[in-house]
Amino acid sequence: MNSSTPLIAGIGEVLDDAVPVIGAGLLGDYDFDRTFQFCGSSVGSQRLVGVMLGGDFSVYHRITHGCTPLDGVYHRVTKANGALLCEIDDRSIVEMINEMFDSEEWQEERPLDFLTIGVHCGQKYEGYRENQYVNRLILGVAPDRSGVMMFESDLRTGDEIQFMVRDAGRMVESARDNSLLLVDMIEKDGKIPLFAFYIDCAGRAKGYSNTSVEEAGEVQKVLGERNIPLFGFYSGVELAPLLGRTRGLDWTGVLTILASNP
C-alpha cells in the first residue's frame, strides 16, 4: 500500500483547495496483498485512476469517524523518520505502548486494531469534536523495535499528537448521525439529491470490527428512506477535504452526495 501524502501533494500542485478531491486507496485483502483495478482499457496495479466532474450541481460530503482520545493528553513527536515513528516526548513509542497495554502482545498485531495516532486540527483543549481529527493507522512495530510503522508518512518531529482508541459504538453512531446531517443540510439548502457514494475503510466492516451491526448499513438505511441512489466500496485509505484541504484519512467513512438545484 502507498502513502496518500505525496499523492495529495502532487494533485495540489495542479488543483487548488477550492476543488474538492474525494477518493480512496484500494485494499486487496486484510493481509495488504496487491490490488488490481480497471484503468479504462486495461487492468493494472499501482495505478491512479480519476475523473473530474463539472456541471450545475453541488458537492456535499461528511466524514464518519469512530476513534476517540484515550485520555486527552497531548504528546509531541520527538523522533520520526518517514513513516517510522520512533519517539514521543523523548521516549520510545514502543515502550510507551507496552506500558499502555501492560504487555508486548500488541506487537504481533498488524495493523493495531485498538490504538491509533490522532492529530487534532482544531483549537487546542476546546473539547473533542470528531470532525477536527485526523487519525493515523499503526501498521505494526518495526522488526528491530525501533519504532512503529505508520500508514502515512506525514508525522514530523515537533508535531503534537494524541493516542486514540477505536470505539465501535461511536463508529456506528457517527455513520448514522453524519448521514442524517448531510441529507438534512441538502434539504435545508433546497437542493435535490441526485447520487451518493460511500467510501468506507475496510477495517470498519462488521466482520473485522466485531460489531453487532454493519455501520455502512446505517448509511444505506438513511439514504434508502429518502430514495437516494447509493454506490459504495471498502477501501484501504480515504481521501476527502477536512478543515480546508484534502487529507488522507484512516478508519473513516466518506459519504458524498451530488445535488442539483430544483
Side-chain angles (χ1 to χ4, degrees):
M1 297 181 71
N2 300 307
S3 169
S4 66
T5 304
L7 172 63
I8 293 172
I11 294 174
E13 292 180 1
V14 179
L15 300 177
D16 60 34
D17 291 333
V19 180
V21 178
I22 296 172
L26 300 185
L27 181 72
D29 54 36
Y30 287 112
D31 291 325
F32 298 99
D33 284 336
R34 178 176 299 195
T35 62
F36 297 91
Q37 66 194 94
F38 179 62
C39 304
S41 59
S42 63
V43 174
S45 185
Q46 300 293 334
R47 306 287 184 87
L48 175 65
V49 177
V51 58
M52 180 177 286
L53 302 178
D56 185 19
F57 62 86
S58 300
V59 180
Y60 292 80
H61 86 281
R62 298 283 297 191
I63 300 170
T64 71
H65 293 261
C67 295
T68 56
L70 173 67
D71 51 19
V73 175
Y74 286 86
H75 302 273
R76 192 171 298 278
V77 177
T78 49
K79 185 178 180 181
N81 183 14
L84 182 66
L85 184 57
C86 302
E87 294 182 2
I88 302 293
D89 298 335
D90 294 315
R91 292 190 57 202
S92 163
I93 188 173
V94 176
E95 293 179 3
M96 291 180 72
I97 299 177
N98 285 343
E99 292 178 5
M100 289 180 195
F101 290 112
D102 194 24
S103 169
E104 296 183 0
E105 292 184 2
W106 67 273
Q107 297 183 19
E108 303 302 317
E109 293 185 27
R110 291 177 177 79
L112 270 68
D113 289 336
F114 181 71
L115 191 72
T116 67
I117 300 295
V119 178
H120 185 199
C121 303
Q123 186 69 33
K124 193 173 181 180
Y125 301 123
E126 70 174 352
Y128 172 69
R129 296 182 183 178
E130 66 171 15
N131 62 356
Q132 295 183 347
Y133 275 84
V134 173
N135 293 295
R136 288 287 167 254
L137 174 66
I138 301 175
L139 290 178
V141 67
D144 61 359
R145 304 299 190 266
S146 62
V148 294
M149 294 300 300
M150 308 300 297
F151 177 69
E152 295 290 343
S153 57
D154 56 346
L155 291 177
R156 299 286 187 269
T157 298
D159 288 348
E160 282 192 326
I161 61 97
Q162 290 176 286
F163 288 104
M164 311 287 285
V165 292
R166 296 186 66 198
D167 185 331
R170 181 66 196 124
M171 176 181 70
V172 175
E173 291 175 6
S174 179
R176 179 180 62 251
D177 293 348
N178 279 289
S179 298
L180 288 168
L181 284 169
L182 195 60
V183 295
D184 287 347
M185 185 186 304
I186 294 172
E187 181 177 333
K188 182 179 179 181
D189 290 346
K191 305 285 187 178
I192 300 173
L194 302 173
F195 172 76
F197 62 98
Y198 188 49
I199 300 171
D200 198 12
C201 174
R204 293 159 61 91
K206 176 182 176 181
Y208 190 88
S209 295
N210 296 316
T211 53
S212 59
V213 297
E214 192 71 65
E215 59 86 22
E218 299 297 310
V219 179
Q220 292 175 315
K221 181 179 179 180
V222 171
L223 299 186
E225 289 174 347
R226 290 161 175 78
N227 296 315
I228 303 174
L230 171 66
F231 167 79
F233 60 91
Y234 286 111
S235 61
V237 65
E238 304 76 55
L239 276 65
L242 175 66
L243 299 177
R245 66 181 180 88
T246 298
R247 305 172 192 262
L249 308 168
D250 299 335
W251 296 127
T252 63
V254 178
L255 175 61
T256 305
I257 300 179
L258 306 184
S260 67
N261 293 316

